[in-house]
Amino acid sequence: MFHPRRTLRALLLPLTAGLALTALPAQTAQAAATLTNAGFEADGAGAAVPAGWSEYGDTGASFTESGGHDGGHRLSHWSSAAYKVETYQYLSGLTDGAYKLTAWVRSGGGQKSAYLALRNCGGAEQRTDLPVSASGWIRIVVPVRVTGNRCTVSVNSDANAGNWINVDDLTFTSGTGGLAIKGADISSLAKSEAKGGVYRTASGTTADPVAVLKNAGMNYARLKVWVNPADGYNDKARVLATAKRVKAAGQKLLVDFHYSDIWADPGAQTKPTAWAGHAYSRLRTDVYQHTYDVLDALKAQGTTADMVQVGNEINGGMLWSEGSTDNWGRLAGLLNSGYAAVKAVDPSTPVALHLAKGGDLAGTRWWFDSAVANGVRFDAIGLSYYGYWHGTLTDFQTTLDDAASRYGKPVFVAETAYPFRLDSDDAHENIIDLPGELVSGYPATAAGQLAWMNSVANIVEAVPNGRGLGVFYWEATWTAVDGNGWDPADAASGNGWENQALFGYDDRALSSTAWFGHR
């Protein structure tokens, strides 16, 4: 935890406090092609202006102190009064090209804004917000393309009294950033619309939600497949129909096989009724034939899957009890049947395995170590990460980075979400409905929802070696509509998730859809 220690700060206020940057002289005398004092170790604690850096604004709020990420000291922004400050360093003599700023950060949250920026680099300023993490350090990146041989590295706070950030161990090196996947699961959409669900733009105009989300920047849709659900939705026929809409909108498609007639997740992996009496050898054939059948039909109508999940949140395996992790040999056989079917339809389609262990390093290692040891084939790793269930953002980053490195595979968030309010829009109790269930620093507002999604996206973007593929928001379109509840066998069942959709109780797209615009 951060404990600000300030000594005689009033004596150290620079005369330039409050001046705009344009009023300051260019720092050409100090400029270099590499960052100076990037770990804030040159001065020890209490430096008003760290060596190699410049400040403006409420400069008394920017200083070095003990407690670095890797080393003895760090840069901190803090003041007992509201403040606005920038700590920056001007680089020149750069070779034009793609660069990436990397830094380790912490933040207590509450600021109007707290971010790293690269500006005056020849193009648009690039920013990355600091996630709220009061204890554990988190690595974030800011990519930029330099033209004109120069760039300014900037740490910014626009803060209320008592707000704080820590920044340490910056690097500015060649590299690129951004996310290939900015997606959402919209499996609920077809049934919602059939039951009278309406979707609107932010201004209130009735609109196609697929188009609304695409216009916000969504480029990938995730659709679950059940085998023979009681309500006839999320089956092969419905997935084929929605896939046409997805592809017509220019989006890619992730097909998520549950291998069940109902929800498959860590607590339930129930075999489809049609497969219930089948022996293990027959189940392997079932998995192959079902997977092939759905994917081949998608290909035949011109909507080939761009990625496939063999199983959904398969922490304990799938098709219980035969496919339980209690018998890895059998589970491996079922997973490889699915993999083979995907490749038989299109050898270029990547296959992902999906766990709900976003912040569980030991559990993720155990599962994938076991999979590798048993010859399971896969191309990508998907993790569910809900901050109210799966650990801190630091836990999430540690797990995600380790999975990418340990198995040499790209990683992505298959599911995440956050509430924009806590009350219900129907009679069914929401799954997250109490203030104490929220992640500290992220309120249940559209702004809090957006901040959460940006934090998750920024952590995925920071996965080393470009292995962070992106993020899928879970059930963006699952608003409260009579008849579209959680239980496909019960038309009267309600929805416990409408406060985590990306459309409000007035059916309008929320401002949080802006997260799809992540670079």
Side-chain angles (χ1 to χ4, degrees):
M1 181 61 70
F2 173 82
H3 297 289
R5 300 288 186 225
R6 306 303 308 278
T7 304
L8 301 176
R9 295 300 302 146
L11 301 179
L12 300 174
L13 287 173
L15 297 176
T16 55
L19 292 179
L21 182 63
T22 52
L24 298 177
Q27 303 296 307
T28 52
Q30 298 180 15
T34 56
L35 280 169
T36 301
N37 191 23
F40 303 100
E41 301 295 339
D43 314 286
V49 183
W53 295 83
S54 302
E55 299 174 340
Y56 79 98
D58 298 313
T59 57
S62 173
F63 54 95
T64 60
E65 63 179 349
S66 298
H69 164 259
D70 183 14
H73 302 91
R74 67 198 181 202
L75 173 71
S76 293
H77 287 178
W78 176 86
S79 177
S80 60
Y83 63 94
K84 187 174 183 179
V85 69
E86 177 186 17
T87 309
Y88 67 96
Q89 188 169 148
Y90 172 75
L91 300 177
S92 66
L94 299 171
T95 300
D96 287 350
Y99 288 85
K100 185 190 297 185
L101 176 71
T102 302
W104 289 90
V105 302
R106 300 192 303 187
S107 172
Q111 299 92 345
K112 297 173 186 175
S113 62
Y115 60 92
L116 303 183
L118 295 175
R119 52 181 182 74
N120 301 329
C121 308
E125 177 178 318
Q126 297 296 312
R127 294 184 178 183
T128 300
D129 294 334
L130 272 63
V132 179
S133 178
S135 54
W137 291 89
I138 292 175
R139 185 185 61 257
I140 60 175
V141 300
V142 191
V144 76
R145 178 159 290 279
V146 171
T147 58
N149 311 114
R150 67 190 186 279
C151 194
T152 299
V153 175
S154 177
V155 181
N156 295 265
S157 293
D158 184 355
N160 299 300
N163 293 162
W164 61 268
I165 66 169
N166 302 150
V167 178
D168 202 4
D169 296 336
L170 294 92
T171 61
F172 185 76
T173 58
S174 296
T176 57
L179 298 177
I181 296 172
K182 291 161 281 191
D185 194 305
I186 56 170
S187 298
S188 61
L189 178 57
K191 188 175 181 181
S192 175
E193 291 176 329
K195 299 295 182 181
V198 173
Y199 299 86
R200 305 180 188 280
T201 64
S203 62
T205 304
T206 302
D208 175 1
V210 175
V212 172
L213 295 173
K214 184 204 174 171
N215 290 340
M218 176 176 151
N219 65 1
Y220 226 118
R222 180 177 185 255
L223 299 176
K224 69 171 174 274
V225 186
W226 288 339
V227 177
N228 188 25
D231 61 1
Y233 286 88
N234 301 297
D235 65 355
K236 173 185 169 183
R238 302 287 186 175
V239 168
L240 287 169
T242 304
K244 287 183 177 179
R245 295 176 64 181
V246 167
K247 293 284 189 166
Q251 297 172 326
K252 291 186 175 182
L253 173 66
L254 168 59
V255 178
D256 171 21
F257 284 95
H258 283 229
Y259 302 112
S260 181
D261 293 334
I262 196 169
W263 304 100
D265 56 42
Q269 295 282 338
T270 307
K271 287 193 288 286
T273 300
W275 305 358
H278 293 180
Y280 171 71
S281 60
R282 178 66 185 277
L283 287 173
R284 288 192 63 176
T285 303
D286 292 333
V287 168
Y288 185 96
Q289 291 179 340
H290 171 61
T291 306
Y292 184 93
D293 180 49
V294 173
L295 297 178
D296 188 55
L298 284 165
K299 182 179 180 180
Q301 71 171 12
T303 60
T304 301
D306 297 285
M307 182 158 59
V308 173
Q309 278 182 223
V310 174
N312 185 78
E313 295 191 332
I314 51 176
N315 298 12
M318 65 185 200
L319 293 168
W320 290 344
S321 59
E322 287 81 357
S324 165
T325 50
D326 291 339
N327 189 328
W328 262 102
R330 287 194 165 194
L331 174 57
L334 294 170
L335 294 172
N336 284 339
S337 287
Y339 185 93
V342 176
K343 300 300 183 178
V345 174
D346 189 333
S348 68
T349 302
V351 175
L353 298 180
H354 170 209
L355 304 184
K357 288 182 176 289
D360 182 358
L361 175 63
T364 299
R365 277 187 173 183
W366 173 83
W367 200 98
F368 279 100
D369 281 358
S370 301
V372 170
N374 284 274
V376 176
R377 304 183 68 191
F378 61 99
D379 306 312
I381 293 172
L383 296 175
S384 292
Y385 175 61
Y386 296 100
Y388 32 78
W389 294 327
H390 295 146
T392 66
L393 287 166
T394 301
D395 295 334
F396 167 54
Q397 180 166 72
T398 301
T399 305
L400 196 68
D401 289 356
D402 184 77
S405 173
R406 190 175 182 90
Y407 308 106
K409 304 290 186 183
V411 295
F412 65 98
V413 175
E415 297 183 18
T416 190
Y418 204 77
F420 63 91
R421 58 195 294 171
L422 294 175
D423 60 320
S424 293
D425 196 27
D426 63 10
H428 192 76
E429 182 181 3
N430 287 336
I431 292 174
I432 301 298
D433 63 352
L434 297 173
E437 294 173 316
L438 298 174
V439 179
S440 178
Y442 296 89
T445 61
Q449 191 180 47
L450 174 60
W452 175 259
M453 290 307 299
N454 281 336
S455 293
V456 171
N458 290 338
I459 287 172
V460 177
E461 184 184 23
V463 173
N465 300 310
R467 288 195 175 117
L469 289 178
V471 181
F472 288 93
Y473 194 91
W474 195 69
E475 281 291 14
T477 56
W478 200 9
T479 54
V481 175
D482 287 346
N484 191 25
W486 69 270
D487 187 351
D490 181 4
S493 64
N495 177 3
W497 205 260
E498 76 272 11
N499 68 323
Q500 298 191 65
L502 294 181
F503 291 84
Y505 291 2
D506 58 1
D507 302 322
R508 298 185 183 204
L510 295 167
S511 56
S512 50
T513 56
W515 90 264
F516 289 115
H518 192 284
R519 59 181 167 259

